[in-house]
């Protein structure tokens, strides 16, 4: 029987990062990564197959990082874990022993229990090449595409499917705005407006009651009574942790149905770790269960799991949650809590906003406005969250904000933090959005 | 006699920010800003007048922020401070009383004592519209431009003056590379290559011995014996604090000849504060005198000075120093200490580097590589500095690094910091440069 030091089960962001991290921290250990898929799709890149990159084959995770870091790769499916014997069994019939096992089995898209959901041409977004190719073929034929769910997946798919196609696209969203689970309303409205100007129809506070059709979907019936013509439906209503293997092995699940782990990413079995979408998470802000499923969090947890396998080196401080996207030229991003979520969690908040061109003077080439909104706890002045709308460099500004949150910086700290500025790269130092948003909030913080 | 609560002397980044900050923090106080110039140039924008924006009038600091924040503006020159009577005297004959005075008088370019430096068509970069217009007129006629000093000013001017002009440009630099006072050698070399490929001649380890000409400059004689044809010379060899007014008022200067201030930006006179290029600075890393003169630091100090006028609210932790620039499409940036400077300061260092496309997959539009180099103290793993070469979003990544330095984060902290990533905005979470550069350094840190 083959035996290795470490087996990683999974093939996407968490699995790859966990395997590499283990090799970086314990170069003397051998690491075997076992995944089902011959080729792995870049998860966040999937929507961009449909309008920008053009084919699943152009959106693959390269295996070169595994090779470079000396991670062994096996294409096979792990079907069982024998915890007492510390072996795994594969569909291909192999039994392989391990010292440490990392589960990075990801998540699967939710299929909502709506009548008619099994009709042809209704798709969830499965991370499988043949499935995505089928979706792409259907989008290229579709005249009336209905997208159920106005979250990131829904909005990104709408934006991409519209590119170079003559197709009517309607987003059906239960909440009062698209992206409402992430952003504050003022920012959702900006995103919706960009979509509407492109010709995407957005129906909010609407629920799908049934999919109707004869074999293939023809209509989507809404709770309001409205019926939408549809020759294709994309379901973007969230995902669930893939815990089949863990459950079979008797590992405990947490309150959001992820594999239960401690702050070292270790399960109750000291030889088994879990990270990424399949693992249970808690919030940085209050330690309560967190439902975030993001590739960035997956890699963060993988860097913790991988480093902790043979010595306890890193601790997970909980999910801050940093998400970003772009529609056309406009980036949208959030780190930590939105104003609404902070209030829901019971914080008294002080908010500051600052908008400025991302170049100075404003007539410099490639100028695009960038707005930063920061949310602070009123009593302490500590930052709870930040939101961004505007220039694409905002995708990195949100990461500076994330560091501020991670470090529990106050509005005063941020107002005088030593930023660098340059005419070709950023706002002017006088108008720099991050510092100025903090200054704007201070007025409100000082009043109490 | 007129009396106001606060007088700010100066018109550039520090003065404007100090005045606005005071109004934000003490809205009940009236603030008068007194400056010589009718219109003020954006200091960092000056090089971009020459190739990108086209005229000084397009690179002005707007006064709207002063108006919006209720700062009174007087165009006049402050010639004397009567400290015991707490009044200032202006060239226009006004005497104005103050409770608090902020000196933000900036810096002047250094004129090196080289024979012939007074010849016509030899320019320092003064922040004055008529002077800059004269430079622009001369650049438009020049055939052979020699730039003395390969620092930021020199390199940015070379890049800009070349745009849409048929002019031979030579940079003369004393050190072994351009930008050597800022970046590590490997990064200087990338910048030099971009300049050389554009046709800029770069002469390093060369010193100007004399400027030769009959009335106007005709030749530049180098210490090596080489002579360069020149019908225009730009001197970019640094600046000195403008302390004329402070000295006249008997205020003490510090070791770098800036106005001596404490960590609250207060001078030895409890009613007088100073900030920006005119003020003495100390390093964040060892408390030793710092020679940095940057608009970003100026605004940071101004936010401290303005907030501290009537209550002690903010403390200056010392200069980290964040600088950035771009040549063509490539951004260059540094925060904190370069590897060389860290070693000079006596640190044992561990260095990590990571390069990746700033989009994922790499075939996404607007893809540009971005490289991050991080410098850590070997013993503690605490970050000391970071350098960036590549995509323009690097101008914001360097600010995330600056927060990390400010917060004394370790390589482990940074390796698992919760970044956000997106195909249209950043590298992939697996390859994210900041976390991966930290991971690369950890190998070296752990070994000790």
């Amino acid at each position: 029987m083959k035996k290795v030091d470490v087996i990683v089960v999974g093939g996407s962001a968490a699995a790859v990062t966990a395997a590499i991290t283990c090799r970086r921290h314990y170069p003397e250990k051998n690491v075997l990564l076992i995944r089902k898929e011959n080729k792995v799709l870049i998860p966040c890149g999937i929507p961009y197959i449909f309008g920008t990159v053009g084919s699943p084959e152009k959106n693959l995770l390269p295996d070169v990082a595994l090779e470079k870091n000396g991670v062994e790769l096996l294409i096979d499916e792990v079907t069982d874990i024998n915890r007492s014997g510390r072996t795994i069994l594969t569909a291909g019939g192999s039994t392989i022993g391990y010292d440490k096992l990392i589960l990075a089995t990801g998540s699967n898209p939710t299929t909502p229990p709506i009548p008619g959901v099994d009709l042809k041409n209704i798709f969830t977004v499965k991370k499988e090449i043949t499935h995505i190719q089928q979706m792409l073929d259907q989008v290229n034929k579709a005249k009336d595409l209905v997208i159920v769910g106005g979250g990131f997946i829904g909005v990104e798919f709408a934006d991409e499917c519209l590119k170079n196609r003559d197709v009517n696209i309607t987003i059906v969203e239960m909440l009062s705005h698209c992206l409402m689970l992430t952003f504050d309303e003022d920012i959702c409205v900006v995103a919706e407006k960009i979509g509407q100007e492109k010709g995407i129809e957005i129906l909010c506070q609407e629920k799908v009651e049934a999919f109707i059709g004869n074999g293939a979907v023809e209509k989507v019936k809404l709770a309001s009574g409205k019926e939408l013509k549809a020759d294709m439906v994309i379901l973007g209503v969230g995902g669930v942790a893939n815990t089949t293997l863990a459950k079979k092995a008797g590992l405990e699940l947490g309150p959001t149905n992820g594999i239960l782990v401690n702050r070292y990413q270790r399960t109750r079995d000291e030889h088994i770790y879990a990270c990424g979408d399949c693992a249970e998470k808690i919030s940085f802000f209050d330690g309560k269960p967190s439902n975030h499923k993001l590739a960035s969090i997956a890699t963060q947890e993988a860097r913790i799991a991988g480093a902790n396998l043979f010595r306890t080196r890193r601790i997970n401080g909980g999910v801050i949650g940093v998400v970003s996207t772009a529609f056309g030229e406009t980036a949208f991003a959030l780190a930590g809590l939105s104003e609404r979520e902070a209030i829901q969690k019971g914080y008294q908040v002080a908010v500051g906003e600052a908008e400025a061109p991302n170049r100075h003077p404003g007539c410099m080439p490639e100028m695009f406005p960038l707005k930063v909104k920061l949310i602070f706890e009123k009593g302490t002045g500590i930052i709870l969250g930040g939101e961004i709308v505007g220039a694409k460099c905002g995708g990195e500004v949100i990461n500076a904000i994330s560091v501020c949150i991670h470090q529990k910086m106050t509005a005063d700290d941020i107002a005088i933090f030593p930023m660098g500025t340059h005419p070709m790269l950023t706002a002017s130092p006088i108008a720099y959005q991050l510092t100025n948003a903090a200054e704007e909030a201070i007025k409100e913080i000082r009043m109490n």
Side-chain angles (χ1 to χ4, degrees), chain A:
Chain A
M1 185 192 77
K2 177 170 175 155
K3 190 181 175 305
V4 295
D5 297 317
V6 179
I7 292 176
V8 180
V9 184
S12 193
V16 171
T17 306
I20 293 173
T21 304
C22 176
R23 287 284 301 160
R24 272 176 171 151
H25 287 254
Y26 308 101
E28 72 284 4
K29 304 290 184 185
N30 53 44
V31 177
L32 171 67
L33 185 143
I34 309 179
R35 71 177 193 225
K36 270 190 303 198
E37 307 80 10
N38 197 21
K39 293 173 181 177
V40 179
L41 288 165
I42 298 176
C44 337
I46 292 173
Y48 301 96
I49 293 169
F50 290 77
T52 302
V53 310
S55 99
E57 297 290 334
K58 289 189 181 156
N59 181 55
L60 297 176
L61 267 186
D63 285 333
V64 59
L66 296 176
E67 288 157 28
K68 230 181 63 186
N69 287 280
V71 176
E72 197 188 340
L73 174 62
L74 173 65
I75 312 289
D76 200 342
E77 187 180 358
V78 178
T79 53
D80 278 289
I81 304 167
N82 172 349
R83 284 169 53 192
S84 57
R86 271 193 257 155
T87 59
I88 61 99
L89 197 73
T90 73
S94 303
T95 302
I96 308 172
Y98 64 83
D99 185 11
K100 306 285 177 184
L101 178 68
I102 300 183
L103 297 175
T105 47
S107 60
N108 295 318
T110 304
T111 302
I114 299 171
V117 77
D118 293 330
L119 286 169
K120 198 166 168 262
N121 299 333
I122 299 181
F123 297 87
T124 57
V125 185
K126 284 186 211 155
K127 297 162 206 160
E128 291 166 13
I129 293 183
T130 51
H131 177 84
I132 297 295
Q133 187 61 52
Q134 284 166 16
M135 286 181 77
L136 188 56
D137 295 343
Q138 187 59 27
V139 171
N140 288 334
K141 285 184 277 186
K143 293 283 153 228
D144 298 286
L145 168 61
V146 173
I147 296 175
V148 181
F152 277 83
I153 287 281
V155 173
E156 290 178 350
F157 262 92
D159 194 34
E160 283 293 302
C161 290
L162 201 62
K163 286 181 186 166
N164 307 314
R165 288 192 189 90
D166 183 21
V167 54
N168 300 314
I169 300 184
T170 307
I171 296 176
V172 179
E173 167 60 46
M174 273 170 54
L175 302 173
S176 51
H177 290 285
C178 286
L179 302 174
M180 192 86 182
L181 282 180
T182 302
F183 295 111
D184 285 317
E185 193 175 328
D186 51 326
I187 290 170
C188 298
V189 168
V190 178
E192 285 174 346
K193 207 175 149 217
I194 292 173
Q196 283 158 341
E197 280 169 359
K198 289 184 176 189
I200 296 166
E201 185 156 9
I202 300 173
L203 301 176
C204 290
Q205 294 180 291
E206 277 281 19
K207 225 175 138 169
V208 176
E209 208 168 71
F211 299 105
I212 298 164
N214 189 2
V217 67
E218 290 163 26
K219 277 191 275 186
V220 178
K221 195 179 167 200
L222 304 182
S224 65
K226 198 180 269 186
E227 288 193 346
L228 305 173
K229 234 176 113 180
D231 49 9
M232 180 175 187
V233 170
I234 297 174
L235 302 167
V237 296
V240 285
N242 177 7
T243 56
T244 314
L245 189 61
K247 276 191 290 194
K248 218 166 153 189
L251 290 169
E252 200 174 337
L253 301 190
T256 77
N257 285 317
I259 302 167
L260 196 66
V261 291
N262 63 14
R263 290 199 172 223
Y264 310 100
Q265 302 300 137
R266 206 179 292 129
T267 67
R268 296 270 165 107
D269 179 326
E270 64 172 323
H271 293 279
I272 305 182
Y273 291 69
C275 56
D277 282 4
C278 70
E280 190 69 25
K281 299 168 205 327
I282 57 168
S283 164
F284 173 84
F285 298 97
D286 56 12
K288 291 188 180 162
S290 163
N291 236 324
H292 273 290
K293 288 185 176 40
L294 292 168
S296 53
I297 297 174
T299 58
Q300 187 195 353
E301 291 178 352
R303 290 188 178 98
I304 296 168
N308 284 341
L309 288 179
F310 298 96
R311 282 177 60 182
T312 299
R313 283 177 161 160
R314 289 175 174 172
I315 188 160
N316 190 340
V319 170
I320 287 178
V322 186
V323 284
S324 52
T325 189
F327 307 126
E329 289 308 300
T330 307
F332 294 82
L334 168 116
L337 305 180
S338 67
E339 185 179 357
R340 189 186 56 249
E341 204 183 347
I343 291 167
Q344 280 165 0
K345 278 192 182 280
Y347 287 103
Q348 278 218 296
V349 301
V351 172
E353 287 188 358
E355 183 165 1
N358 71 335
R359 300 284 184 265
H360 65 285
C363 61
M364 288 289 285
E366 302 173 11
M367 190 288 279
F368 204 90
L370 179 72
K371 179 174 147 179
V372 171
K373 172 175 177 176
L374 298 179
I375 297 103
F376 297 91
E377 189 190 18
K378 222 171 188 172
T380 59
I382 289 173
I383 185 168
L384 299 170
E387 287 168 280
I388 273 174
V389 187
K392 288 187 182 160
C393 61
E396 297 293 357
V397 176
I398 203 69
N399 288 334
I401 294 175
S402 173
V403 185
C404 295
I405 297 170
H406 187 257
Q407 295 296 303
K408 300 192 171 70
M409 287 170 76
T410 66
D412 271 301
D413 292 336
I414 297 171
I416 61 168
F417 107 90
M419 82 296 193
T421 55
H422 189 273
M424 306 267 272
L425 304 172
T426 69
S428 88
I430 299 175
Y432 190 68
Q433 300 93 344
L434 188 43
T435 44
N436 277 19
E439 283 282 20
E440 286 299 321
I442 280 170
K443 285 185 201 167
E444 236 183 299
I445 292 169
R446 294 258 196 269
M447 277 192 287
N448 285 268

